[in-house]
Amino acid sequence: MKIGVDYYPEQWSEEQWRADAQEMAKAGVKLIRVAEFAWSKLEPSDKQFSFEWLDEVIKTFSQVGIGTVLGIPTNCPPLWMYQQYPDIVRVGPDGNRIQTGIRGHRCINSPVFMGYAKRITEQMVRHFGANPAVVAWQIDNELEAYPCSCEVCKAKFRDWLIDKYDSLENINAAFGTSVWSGEYSDILQIEPPTAYPQAWQNPSLCLDHYRFTCESVAEYAKELALTIRRDAPKAKITTNTWFCENTPDFYKLFEYMDFVSYDNYPTVSIPKDKEEFYSHAFHLDLMRGIKEDKFWIMEQLSGPTGSWAPMSPTPRPEMIKGYSLQAIAHGADNILHFRWKTATKGAEMFWHGLIDHSGVPGRRLFEFSELCKTAAKLSVIDTTEIISEIAILYSPDDAYAMKIQPQVEGMYYLEQLRYFHSAFMHYGANIDVIPPTRDLSHYKLVIAPTMFVYDKAAAENIYRYVINGGTLVMTNRSGVKDSNNNCIPDALPTVFKELIGAEVTEYDPIGSREQTITDFAGNKFTCRRWCDVLNVTTAKAYAQYEDNFYRACPAVTMNRYCSGVAYYVGTVCKSDFYESFAGNLMRQTGIPRLKGLPRGVEVTTRTNGLDDYIFFFNNSEEDATITLPKAMYSIIDSSGKDKLVLKPFEMDIVRK
């Protein structure tokens, strides 16, 4: 368990490197990440490589016991390269080349750029690959599913479509191009989505272009990973990711990586409305689920954020430490904070690090030092893992398809996933967030919200799970589209009708208007966004509507199917419904529940098979008191406790 920082030696003097190394070692830093944006320093002119300064950086920090994560700097090609080869710049949806001047402007499909990217990677690996102080390699930075409309990308996209559909005739049939007189009579007529809102454009084209961009960036990352491994076969390779404007398919992106890395910037402004999601626990569980293994945080919140937007408030006391420990609780192995010192130049000068522009150590650095001391006590959990009995299914295709065609005001793909995740956290459950095609057999409960776009393998996997005795929850907007992102001409939820034992006779997109449902026990809950009017065939009503022309119609159903059970939630409720529903599901499936947790307290358990280590994190602005069922040993305080008293954003870890 190592704590580190992101460091930019190219922005500081050599004397400052030595001073920073000493200060970092004193604070407890064990890792630095460097060079992910330093291409112009590493190759100041074509074929002229300058690695000596980076040798000195790695040596300086190694001498004080700090290892290096070395970044491949391909996110920011030098300006001389753009000048020599202007065609390597991405072309936007408007048909114009992206203006250079910040970062990330290169087209990853450009053969010229790829040649240079492989060359700098190869040169760096040959030079630094045998250095024992280099503990891992980061490819590029925050890779996205970049939409590029350059001639290279257009040609590759057209080839990709022909490979998938075999002929122009099949593409026309799959895309439904007879709408708006859009038939293609020549492959050269196929263009990527334009700058118009995607909801105005062909949804099949838009989804396939997203799939193409996801495969392109995954192939790019794979090529650089293979380049590293040719000269350093034992190298540990990753890239850093996040939920960005063009979120990639995480599962494809990390297929050839050794581990996942996430850039973690939780909010510092806790919302008063309990319906607003702010915990990053969902994101962390999703990152762990990408490879079903531990992961790294490559960038962690360190100060007020602000660069392309006005500055946020500064992290409150205990946030820097608490949010890092939260990540560890959900499976993070190592955590690097962005950044050591706040930049005094460039666009990110107000995205603050642990030390402000003054250079004077302050509260945030002192709290970070306390985190380093705490992490040193956690070697006991190095061999532990997170075992979950609950899985939530996440699909990049479903997420993007709903982005292309928003369904109703206020509705978005992740909302229902996060409602369920938050509800199970309320009872202290471990939760895996995984793709719909993973093995589900070892889960007692699987939540499959918004299975919007049909995927044959996923549907068969879900059916198989229930047939073999599993308990499943599906929701509205499932079975809506076929694999080409066209509506399926059948009663919803189409391919899942038999499984849920009901069908949708009509739906009402109510948006922000609020209505009421009542469950089987007489409990009333507020619903909004969407109302499926359900007709049961073999299912029974779990809850019914109390309003509108579909009053007394089922809103939530339960169906016994073969050896399993399938629930269907036809509406979107507020958090109290999901907490009630989750509690009932856990009781019925025999999943242990913690009752009476104060709101905002998150509980996660890691185990080594002999001992369980329970993480209690107070992710709120109020003090929290938790009475333990018996006295337990605190790893943090090295003492026995029968009660935990946690300040805001404080964590304690007890051994069960």
Side-chain angles (χ1 to χ4, degrees), residues 478-534:
S478 292
V480 177
K481 300 291 197 80
D482 64 19
S483 60
N484 295 317
N485 206 18
N486 299 312
C487 284
I488 299 174
D490 192 7
L492 293 169
T494 65
V495 294
F496 301 110
K497 280 190 300 183
E498 180 183 341
L499 183 63
I500 71 161
E503 61 182 42
V504 179
T505 60
E506 190 174 0
Y507 50 72
D508 189 9
I510 62 174
S512 58
R513 193 168 76 246
E514 295 185 349
Q515 298 184 170
T516 303
I517 66 169
T518 303
D519 71 8
F520 69 94
N523 302 305
K524 295 185 181 298
F525 304 99
T526 298
C527 70
R528 51 191 176 166
R529 308 277 193 256
W530 193 272
C531 296
D532 277 341
V533 183
L534 295 164

Side-chain angles (χ1 to χ4, degrees), residues 91-362:
V91 174
D94 61 358
N96 297 316
R97 293 206 177 272
I98 304 294
Q99 287 186 312
T100 57
I102 308 178
R103 70 187 197 193
H105 306 306
R106 71 280 184 265
C107 171
I108 59 171
N109 282 324
S110 163
V112 173
F113 170 71
M114 179 58 86
Y116 276 96
K118 285 184 176 180
R119 191 179 74 183
I120 187 65
T121 302
E122 184 179 77
Q123 292 291 325
M124 290 181 69
V125 174
R126 289 178 178 176
H127 188 89
F128 299 106
N131 191 326
V134 177
V135 300
W137 295 76
Q138 177 186 300
I139 290 173
D140 210 275
N141 185 77
E142 295 183 338
L143 288 167
E144 299 186 26
Y146 303 105
C148 180
S149 300
C150 74
E151 292 305 316
V152 170
C153 286
K154 285 181 183 180
K156 289 195 73 169
F157 180 46
R158 291 163 185 155
D159 289 344
W160 184 91
L161 289 172
I162 290 295
D163 285 344
K164 179 175 181 178
Y165 295 105
D166 295 327
S167 69
L168 201 58
E169 181 181 10
N170 290 340
I171 294 172
N172 279 317
F175 286 12
T177 52
S178 58
V179 175
W180 291 352
S181 191
E183 284 100 339
Y184 302 120
S185 57
D186 187 311
I187 192 68
L188 296 178
Q189 294 167 1
I190 298 178
E191 297 279 338
T194 67
Y196 285 116
Q198 290 205 352
W200 299 0
Q201 301 181 61
N202 187 301
S204 302
L205 171 74
C206 292
L207 182 57
D208 261 350
H209 190 255
Y210 169 70
R211 290 164 172 161
F212 164 73
T213 59
C214 286
E215 290 187 18
S216 294
V217 75
E219 182 65 22
Y220 166 72
K222 173 187 173 183
E223 285 297 313
L224 294 190
L226 292 175
T227 302
I228 295 171
R229 288 203 170 97
R230 272 195 288 271
D231 288 299
K234 295 183 179 179
K236 297 299 181 185
I237 303 171
T238 190
T239 189
N240 54 332
T241 196
W242 62 305
F243 282 89
C244 48
E245 181 181 356
N246 304 296
T247 299
D249 183 326
F250 299 125
Y251 309 110
K252 286 184 170 70
L253 179 63
F254 284 98
E255 186 175 356
Y256 291 91
M257 308 282 180
D258 293 294
F259 59 93
V260 172
S261 294
Y262 178 56
D263 291 352
N264 190 38
Y265 293 100
T267 184
V268 297
S269 300
I270 307 302
K272 299 301 181 185
D273 184 355
K274 71 176 185 178
E275 301 304 315
E276 291 188 39
F277 302 110
Y278 66 89
S279 175
H280 267 215
F282 173 83
H283 300 79
L284 298 168
D285 285 341
L286 194 155
M287 292 299 132
R288 187 182 71 252
I290 294 171
K291 296 182 81 70
E292 294 188 281
D293 203 355
K294 298 172 187 175
F295 60 97
W296 286 31
I297 300 295
M298 200 60 80
E299 296 183 16
Q300 176 72 21
L301 177 74
S302 295
T305 59
S307 183
W308 302 276
M311 282 184 279
S312 73
T314 195
R316 290 349 190 198
E318 294 293 328
M319 274 187 175
I320 288 173
K321 180 180 178 183
Y323 281 144
S324 295
L325 293 174
Q326 179 197 33
I328 291 171
H330 289 269
D333 240 358
N334 300 307
I335 297 178
L336 284 76
H337 284 246
F338 186 90
R339 49 194 277 174
W340 173 247
K341 297 178 71 173
T342 307
T344 59
K345 300 174 182 177
E348 288 189 317
M349 66 175 69
F350 293 117
W351 197 290
H352 292 69
L354 293 166
I355 300 174
D356 288 333
H357 298 116
S358 65
V360 179

Side-chain angles (χ1 to χ4, degrees), residues 395-653:
S395 162
D397 268 12
D398 291 337
Y400 200 79
M402 288 193 71
K403 182 179 178 181
I404 294 168
Q405 292 180 304
Q407 297 295 282
V408 70
E409 179 190 359
M411 193 177 201
Y412 61 100
Y413 173 71
L414 287 180
E415 182 179 35
Q416 295 190 73
L417 281 75
R418 297 197 66 175
Y419 262 128
F420 277 105
H421 187 275
S422 179
F424 291 119
M425 276 206 312
H426 180 71
Y427 296 105
N430 286 351
I431 308 145
D432 288 346
V433 182
I434 58 174
T437 51
R438 286 275 171 82
D439 178 18
L440 305 176
S441 60
H442 57 286
Y443 294 107
K444 291 185 176 180
L445 180 58
V446 170
I447 313 299
T450 320
M451 300 293 291
F452 192 61
V453 176
Y454 172 68
D455 177 88
K456 185 174 184 289
E460 290 175 347
N461 197 36
I462 287 169
Y463 265 92
R464 184 164 49 247
Y465 170 73
V466 179
I467 288 170
N468 291 329
T471 297
L472 174 80
V473 179
M474 299 196 76
T475 75
N476 53 84
R477 310 318 288 147
S478 292
V480 177
K481 300 291 197 80
D482 64 19
S483 60
N484 295 317
N485 206 18
N486 299 312
C487 284
I488 299 174
D490 192 7
L492 293 169
T494 65
V495 294
F496 301 110
K497 280 190 300 183
E498 180 183 341
L499 183 63
I500 71 161
E503 61 182 42
V504 179
T505 60
E506 190 174 0
Y507 50 72
D508 189 9
I510 62 174
S512 58
R513 193 168 76 246
E514 295 185 349
Q515 298 184 170
T516 303
I517 66 169
T518 303
D519 71 8
F520 69 94
N523 302 305
K524 295 185 181 298
F525 304 99
T526 298
C527 70
R528 51 191 176 166
R529 308 277 193 256
W530 193 272
C531 296
D532 277 341
V533 183
L534 295 164
N535 177 50
V536 296
T537 51
T538 58
K540 296 180 179 179
Y542 178 96
Q544 66 181 27
Y545 295 109
E546 293 296 329
D547 307 284
N548 224 308
F549 64 90
Y550 39 89
R551 183 179 183 275
C553 290
V556 182
T557 60
M558 184 275 288
N559 186 50
R560 298 195 180 278
Y561 186 80
C562 295
S563 299
V565 178
Y567 290 85
Y568 185 85
V569 181
T571 187
V572 181
C573 295
K574 292 189 175 181
S575 58
D576 56 349
F577 165 77
Y578 295 95
E579 289 173 7
S580 171
F581 189 39
N584 288 337
L585 291 169
M586 293 174 74
R587 183 170 60 251
Q588 291 165 20
T589 53
I591 299 172
R593 295 179 296 161
L594 288 177
K595 297 181 181 179
L597 284 175
R599 185 157 295 280
V601 172
E602 301 174 6
V603 181
T604 310
T605 303
R606 293 179 59 155
T607 184
N608 59 17
L610 296 174
D611 293 311
D612 292 342
Y613 296 90
I614 308 175
F615 294 69
F616 290 87
F617 176 49
N618 181 15
N619 196 1
S620 79
E621 295 181 307
E622 306 294 332
D623 290 352
T625 300
I626 303 104
T627 301
L628 301 174
K630 63 177 183 178
M632 297 183 184
Y633 180 77
S634 168
I635 304 300
I636 302 296
D637 295 339
S638 301
S639 63
K641 295 181 177 180
D642 55 13
K643 181 173 67 174
L644 303 180
V645 180
L646 301 177
K647 295 181 293 186
F649 311 107
E650 186 179 14
M651 177 175 280
D652 206 342
I653 307 169

Side-chain angles (χ1 to χ4, degrees), residues 19-59:
D20 286 340
Q22 294 296 327
E23 192 70 29
M24 286 185 204
K26 181 180 175 182
V29 168
K30 298 299 181 185
L31 291 170
I32 56 170
R33 181 192 66 173
V34 299
E36 78 273 16
F37 294 132
W39 198 342
S40 64
K41 288 288 187 184
L42 294 166
E43 190 178 4
S45 60
D46 199 352
K47 298 181 183 179
Q48 301 300 311
F49 299 101
S50 176
F51 295 152
E52 294 76 14
W53 66 273
L54 192 50
D55 283 326
E56 188 61 30
V57 170
I58 295 170
K59 177 183 174 183

